[in-house]
Amino acid sequence: MAPSRAHHVSIFGLGYVGAVTAGCLAEQGHHITGADVQQAKVDAFKSGISPIIEPELESLLQAAKREGRLHATTDAAEAVQTSQVSIICVGTPSQAAGRLNLDFVRNVCAQIAAAIREKKQAHTILLRSTMLPGSTRSMVREFFADLIESGLLNVYCCPEFLREGTAVRDFRDPSLAAVGTHDGKAPATNEALELLGANAQILEWEGAELLKYSCNYFHALKVGFANEIGRMAKHLGVDGARVMDVVCHDERLNISRYYLRPGNPFGGSCLPKDVNALSGLARIEGVNLPLLDHVIASNQAHLDALLEQITSKDSRRVGLLGLAFKADTDDMRGSAMVSIAETLLGRGYQLRIFDPSINLTRLIGANEAEIQRRMPHLAQLLCSSAEEVVRESDVIVASQKCADVESLRRVAWAGKSVIDVNGWSELKLLSWAYEGVCW
Ligand SMILES: NC(=O)c1ccc[n+]([C@@H]2O[C@H](COP(=O)([O-])OP(=O)(O)OC[C@H]3O[C@@H](n4cnc5c(N)ncnc54)[C@H](O)[C@@H]3O)[C@@H](O)[C@H]2O)c1
C-alpha cells in the first residue's frame, strides 16, 4: 500500500514497540532503518526476521525486505543520515524505587542530536517511549533546544497504546492516537499525523505523556476493581463474573464518559453511604479490598485540596455557587460543598451562597435534618441570586453552573477570583483570576 507521502524513517529500539512500528510503517510503504544497540537484533531485523514474537509481524518485515525498504544498523548517525524522521522506542524501565530510568532515551537523544548537527538538514523526532510528564521538555532542554531554535528540528511526543499479542492489529486500527506538541497546538509539520494517525488527539507534551499513564492506570484500576468485586462476590457466594458482566451492560453510567470528568468530589445520599457500607462489610468479613477501601480517602483528599485552594486566597469573603451535591436537586446530604461551607464557617469566613434548587421552606425529612444539624444558620447565608453572591464575595467557588453568564457580566469583577470546580469554562471570561480545580 503506497502512502500519500513515503517517509524515510529511522526507528530507535527494535523491541516490541519499535519492531511493530517498523513492520507496520513498512507495510504502508515507508522506508525503514531500524537502530538498536544489540547486534543480534539488528542482524535479525535486517534479514526480515522479527526480533519479537508477534502475530503477522514477520511477514510484514519479510515483505519490506523483499521490496528493499528495510535496513538496520547499530550506528545511530547512519540511521539519522538515512532518514528525515526518527522514532524513539527504546525501553524506559523502572528503577528499584519505582523511579523511571530514562538513560536509554537520553543516550539516543544525545546521539540523534549530534547526528542532526552533522547532517544539517531538517529532521523530526517522534518520542514513542513511555515517559513521565515533563520528560520530553527536559530532553528538549538538554539536547535539542538549539536545533529547534534554528528551525532544523521538530519534536513530538506520540505515546503508544498497542497491546502485545494484537500489536499489528492495534497499529492498523489504533484505539487511540495522540500527538503532543510543545504548546498543545497543531503540529508544525505533518510527519506525526501521517505516520502515527491522521485523527490523533493533539495535546501539549506533558498532556500526551500523562495521557499514556492515565490510560494504563485506568486499565490497572479496572482490573483491580473487577478483582475486588469478584473476591467480595466469591466470599458472599455470588458469581462475581456475572455481576461484573451485568455492570458492563450499563453503557450510560458505567462504561461511558460519565463520572470521568475531574471536578467535584462525589457526594449525595448514595455514593458515600454505599461505598462506606461495602467497605465496612468487607472489613467485618475479613475480605481484603484495599482499592475499594481507599475510595473514601481519595474523595476526602480531593475535598481537602479544594479547601486548601480556597483558603490560600487572601480574602475571607467567599461565595459558593451551588450547595447541593449536584445541580438540579436540593439534596444536600453528603454534599461536598456543605462540608466546605461548614469548615469555612468554623474558621470564621464570611460566606454567601446561591443555589437555585434550594428553597429552605420546602426542605423535608433527612435532607432538612442534615442541614439543621450541619448548617443551622444557612438561611442567613443564602442569597437570592448568583450576582448577589459575586457582589458580596471576593473568592467565588463555582460547583454548579447556576446562572446566566450575561447577568454575571453586569457585576463588577475587579479583584475577584474564581475557583471553577466543575468545568464552567465561561467563568474565564469574567475574571482574570480564574482557576480550575483540576485544570
Ligand atoms: N511493550 C508494550 O506493549 C508497550 C506498549 C506501549 C508503550 N511501551 C513503551 O515503549 C517503550 C519501549 O518498550 P518495548 O517493550 O518495545 O521495550 P523493549 O525492551 O522490548 O525494547 C527496547 C529496545 O531498545 C533498545 N535500545 C536501548 N538503548 C538503545 C539505544 N541507545 N539505541 C538503540 N536502541 C536501544 C534495546 O536494545 C531494546 O531492543 C517503553 O517506554 C515502553 O514502556 C511499550
Side-chain angles (χ1 to χ4, degrees), residues 13-17 35-38 41 89-92 104 107-108 111 129-130 160 162 164 212:
L14 296 176
Y16 282 89
V17 170
D36 204 291
V37 285
Q38 297 181 47
K41 277 196 179 176
C89 306
V90 296
T92 49
F104 299 136
N107 287 344
V108 169
Q111 289 170 332
S129 298
T130 301
E160 169 61 84
L162 61 79
E164 290 178 16
K212 172 67 188 169

Side-chain angles (χ1 to χ4, degrees), residues 1-6 27-30:
M1 185 201 332
S4 53
R5 181 158 74 120
E27 180 187 33
Q28 293 173 8
H30 301 290

Side-chain angles (χ1 to χ4, degrees), residues 184-226:
K185 296 194 179 131
T189 55
N190 289 331
E191 300 86 352
L193 298 175
E194 287 172 1
L195 293 169
L196 300 177
N199 300 320
Q201 302 287 332
I202 311 296
L203 300 96
E204 72 273 59
W205 285 330
E206 290 78 3
E209 291 164 333
L210 184 58
L211 173 74
K212 172 67 188 169
Y213 285 93
S214 307
C215 290
N216 273 355
Y217 227 110
F218 192 35
H219 302 161
L221 205 59
K222 283 166 77 172
V223 172
F225 174 75

Side-chain angles (χ1 to χ4, degrees), residues 408-419:
L408 286 178
R409 215 187 273 279
R410 289 196 284 271
V411 185
W413 279 83
K416 298 184 190 291
S417 58
V418 174
I419 298 176

